[in-house]
Amino acid sequence: MTVWDGFARFATTPVVTPPGPGAPARSLAERLAYHSQFVTVRTPAIDMLAKQVRALMLLGRHQQVTARPSLIVTGPAGAGKTTALLQVGRACHLAHIRRQGESAAGGQVPVAYVLVPPAASAKTLALEFARYLGIHATARMSQAQVVNSVCHTYRQVGVRLMLIDEIHRLNPRTTTGAQSADLLKDLTERIGATFVYAGIDVTSTPLFTGVRGEQLAARASLVDCDPFPARDGMHEPFKDLVRALENALDLRHHRPGSLVRLAPYLHARTAGRIGSLTRLVKQAALTSLLDGTERITKTTLDQVRLDHLAEQHYRPRVPTRSGSR
């Protein structure tokens, strides 16, 4: 995904879909593959991010003097930040192809996706930008040479949307972190694309501290990718999410609605995090296919070991004996 060919394959590969009404039954192998990939649920965070990105891309189209405003997707681990980022990138890529046509779009790169390496120096980060487009750059080149080559090539191929993940790894309080933050500011001014960042709970990290942090905070809007609450007024967002995942299952003996009825238990298991919930449902579905039951029950779900964060959060209640201290 962090090189152009990989991202282009991701963006143009048709998404998996559940079988439609009256569709022929799929084989076990096909259904195992389907549940391994599974569907991506359109969440409010994805919708909000898509709207904000479209607006900022239009806003920045004719902005030449100062850096374009940017967005930061923030939230806890497993809340769907990277998924939201990639889905918006996919939509931008496909929209570009529709506008230009497959042949006219050849040689153009509308979207770039870069991961911030751990403890990245400015040069290391610049090399990641170079690697995405296969720009020839070596460790012996100066940082200025790499950056100049990156900026020239990115403008030449028409990058319009720049996605940068794991932004919480930057710490402007350190020398290397400050230099990396300065590099990103320089790139936003020279490449001419809309920058969208994603990171874990960025408001509680040093990212917004100091002079450099204030500059970023003054230019970036936040899109919160929070866990789903069990209830929000009259609505039940988490139950709606569970329903969407259950409707996508392709299991021959699963009872419709049985997963929705387990929504309180599923919320307790996953703390409302979409990443943990999706993994739990996928693994339970695969288990039921392999053991031949082809339905998801609480027993099936109990057998799935989730990520450590979710397992730490979940503490099932143990009934106490009457009169025990």
Side-chain angles (χ1 to χ4, degrees):
M1 203 77 75
T2 56
V3 294
W4 164 237
D5 287 345
F7 185 87
R9 281 195 301 272
F10 157 76
T12 55
T13 299
V15 296
V16 296
T17 56
R26 296 193 279 195
S27 68
L28 175 61
E30 288 173 325
R31 288 181 297 130
L32 284 170
Y34 166 72
H35 287 97
S36 296
Q37 296 175 281
F38 212 38
V39 296
T40 298
V41 177
R42 187 84 182 186
T43 64
I46 293 177
D47 289 336
M48 173 64 74
L49 182 60
K51 291 177 183 177
Q52 294 282 346
V53 167
R54 283 197 297 269
L56 289 190
M57 290 179 75
L58 288 171
L59 182 64
R61 183 172 294 174
H62 303 291
Q63 190 168 334
Q64 303 293 334
V65 179
T66 59
R68 290 163 169 77
S70 57
L71 288 169
I72 297 180
V73 185
T74 182
K81 298 178 299 299
T82 296
T83 297
L85 204 66
L86 293 175
Q87 290 305 311
V88 169
R90 180 206 293 269
C92 180
H93 179 92
L94 294 178
H96 177 77
I97 291 177
R98 286 194 298 271
R99 287 193 304 268
Q100 303 294 327
E102 195 76 47
S103 57
Q108 295 182 313
V109 179
V111 181
Y113 176 72
V114 169
L115 284 176
V116 176
S121 66
K123 186 174 181 180
T124 303
L125 185 54
L127 288 170
E128 286 298 304
F129 278 81
R131 188 171 71 86
Y132 180 80
L133 286 183
I135 299 170
H136 178 71
T138 66
R140 288 182 293 182
M141 294 172 63
S142 69
Q143 179 181 317
Q145 288 175 316
V146 177
V147 172
N148 287 338
S149 182
V150 164
C151 292
H152 171 75
T153 307
Y154 273 59
R155 288 195 305 267
Q156 192 175 46
V157 299
V159 174
R160 299 181 61 240
L161 180 61
M162 188 67 242
L163 308 176
I164 302 178
D165 211 349
E166 307 289 349
I167 192 66
H168 58 271
R169 290 174 173 174
L170 287 185
N171 182 0
R173 291 178 180 173
T174 66
T175 301
T176 56
Q179 292 171 349
S180 297
D182 286 342
L183 170 65
L184 288 177
K185 179 176 178 294
D186 186 31
L187 293 177
T188 61
E189 295 170 347
R190 295 177 61 184
I191 290 178
T194 297
F195 277 59
V196 182
Y197 308 92
I200 297 173
D201 295 330
V202 296
T203 54
S204 62
T205 69
L207 192 63
F208 283 168
T209 60
V211 175
R212 293 173 177 86
E214 289 178 359
Q215 286 181 325
L216 179 60
R219 291 176 173 175
S221 302
L222 288 183
V223 175
D224 289 316
C225 207
D226 295 324
F228 282 69
R231 181 174 291 277
D232 182 12
M234 298 297 293
H235 302 286
E236 296 179 285
F238 187 78
K239 184 174 285 188
D240 292 340
L241 176 60
V242 174
R243 183 177 291 107
L245 291 174
E246 183 172 41
N247 289 342
L249 292 172
D250 190 6
L251 302 174
R252 291 174 181 170
H253 306 305
H254 183 78
R255 296 176 181 175
S258 59
L259 207 58
V260 173
R261 286 192 290 274
L262 291 172
Y265 159 79
L266 292 169
H267 195 274
R269 281 289 309 268
T270 64
R273 294 185 296 126
I274 187 172
S276 298
L277 175 65
T278 303
R279 175 178 170 182
L280 178 58
V281 173
K282 285 168 62 173
Q283 287 191 229
L286 291 170
T287 298
S288 74
L289 284 167
L290 292 172
D291 66 19
T293 58
E294 299 224 16
R295 64 176 179 268
I296 297 178
T297 64
K298 186 174 181 297
T299 301
T300 315
L301 295 164
D302 280 337
Q303 294 172 351
V304 177
R305 295 291 295 176
L306 276 177
D307 55 276
H308 183 61
L309 190 61
E311 294 293 349
Q312 277 190 316
H313 169 82
Y314 179 62
R315 293 290 185 271
R317 294 180 179 178
V318 179
T320 58
R321 294 179 181 178
S322 177
S324 62
R325 295 180 181 178

